[in-house]
Amino acid sequence: MGCRLSKTEKEEETKDFDKLEEKTSVPQVDPRLPIDAREAFKLKQSWKGIKRKIEETGVEMFIRLFKTNANLKYIFAHFSKLETEDDMRENEALEHHATFVMTTLDEAISNIDNYNYVIDHLHRTGATHQRFIDFSSENFGKIKEPFLEAVKITLGDRYTDYMANVYTKTIDFILSALSHGYLDKNQCYELQSAKSPVTSSDQQSTKSPGKYEQPDQVNGVPSSDQSCVPKIENSTKPE
């Protein structure tokens, strides 16, 4: 659970933004973003608390996702047999995948005031999921509530009504962009002879526990059959 911010810390955070407003050039954000300059500043400050516990937050998010959408668990060979919450918390493959997902969210939130970079990053990331069998664009939206709940748990008292509103608008924006990227790349991926599963249960059975196929270092997908997979710089993706 997050700890309560001291009065001094809260005052310093407010002063930091006030100093920006006092400058001749008032900070601006792209009007296409769902949040304004103050909200973007507050979001990036708040997100530092998440980054310090990014693995734990990611695992919490997936546990809550699988509680409300148990069918999604079976898309992943590594997770399909995890029945209890304790099993999920102790599973290295789940932590690994959750961290990949949180890294994608981190890249977007940490650069939220750079609209063009973020939207390109999310569109390309969304497009890579077209190669995964049994995946659909609707699956992106299912992460919204689990994400918000996990963030709330990590931040504790720092997750105020104000920040809840900011995080909600931000995750809606991120998930919408991922979905658009996935759909925009349909034609490209249809040129491939076959889709690939997120992970192969057959491959998993031949490997020792905790070991799984090394994904492409850039896109987080198998390195073969990359003809239509766009490259993503400075980000990591799940298997």
Side-chain angles (χ1 to χ4, degrees):
M1 297 291 285
C3 59
R4 185 186 298 275
L5 281 177
S6 68
K7 182 177 180 181
T8 301
E9 288 174 318
K10 291 180 179 178
E11 290 174 346
E12 286 301 318
E13 184 177 305
T14 301
K15 287 179 181 178
D16 286 342
F17 189 85
D18 289 341
K19 288 178 182 178
L20 292 176
E21 290 186 320
E22 290 171 2
K23 294 182 179 180
T24 304
S25 177
V26 177
Q28 299 292 328
V29 294
D30 194 296
R32 292 171 291 180
L33 285 171
I35 57 179
D36 60 28
R38 177 179 288 274
E39 290 172 326
F41 176 82
K42 294 285 189 180
L43 175 65
K44 292 171 78 170
Q45 290 295 107
S46 171
W47 187 249
K48 292 177 182 178
I50 301 298
K51 291 185 72 169
R52 287 192 287 269
K53 295 185 176 181
I54 198 164
E55 293 88 358
E56 297 95 322
T57 305
V59 170
E60 188 67 45
M61 177 176 69
F62 268 89
I63 287 174
R64 291 173 179 275
L65 173 67
F66 292 148
K67 279 184 177 180
T68 55
N69 298 274
N71 59 305
L72 292 182
K73 185 169 59 176
Y74 299 101
I75 295 178
F76 304 90
H78 300 303
F79 314 153
S80 61
K81 295 182 180 180
L82 300 179
E83 298 296 338
T84 70
E85 185 173 320
D86 286 340
D87 289 339
M88 295 181 196
R89 293 191 186 281
E90 296 172 1
N91 186 268
E92 291 184 5
L94 177 58
E95 180 180 348
H96 181 80
H97 182 77
T99 302
F100 266 126
V101 172
M102 290 298 292
T103 300
T104 296
L105 298 178
D106 173 52
E107 188 72 12
I109 292 175
S110 296
N111 296 282
I112 194 64
D113 46 5
N114 187 342
Y115 177 86
N116 289 332
Y117 173 79
V118 169
I119 205 71
D120 182 65
H121 168 67
L122 293 173
H123 280 176
R124 289 172 180 269
T125 299
T128 64
H129 287 71
Q130 181 58 221
R131 102 174 247 109
F132 300 145
I133 196 168
D134 293 332
F135 192 90
S136 67
S137 61
E138 290 79 10
N139 288 341
F140 289 118
K142 294 175 182 178
I143 205 72
K144 175 182 176 179
E145 292 304 323
F147 168 80
L148 293 174
E149 291 169 2
V151 167
K152 180 178 181 179
I153 289 173
T154 299
L155 293 179
D157 292 340
R158 293 170 290 174
Y159 191 75
T160 62
D161 290 342
Y162 176 88
M163 287 312 305
N165 182 51
V166 173
Y167 272 107
T168 298
K169 290 190 289 186
T170 301
I171 194 62
D172 282 341
F173 166 73
I174 289 173
L175 298 178
S176 176
L178 287 169
S179 181
H180 277 93
Y182 175 88
L183 295 172
D184 286 347
K185 298 299 180 180
N186 274 350
Q187 184 174 0
C188 178
Y189 279 83
E190 286 173 357
L191 297 176
Q192 299 181 27
S193 58
K195 293 183 178 181
S196 299
V198 176
T199 53
S200 169
S201 56
D202 293 334
Q203 291 176 334
Q204 170 68 2
S205 63
T206 63
K207 298 183 181 181
S208 58
K211 301 294 184 182
Y212 33 91
E213 181 180 1
Q214 179 65 33
D216 176 83
Q217 290 299 313
V218 177
N219 295 312
V221 295
S223 57
S224 61
D225 195 16
Q226 294 277 321
S227 59
C228 288
V229 179
K231 293 296 182 182
I232 305 170
E233 298 182 356
N234 300 321
S235 61
T236 48
K237 289 296 294 110
E239 295 188 291

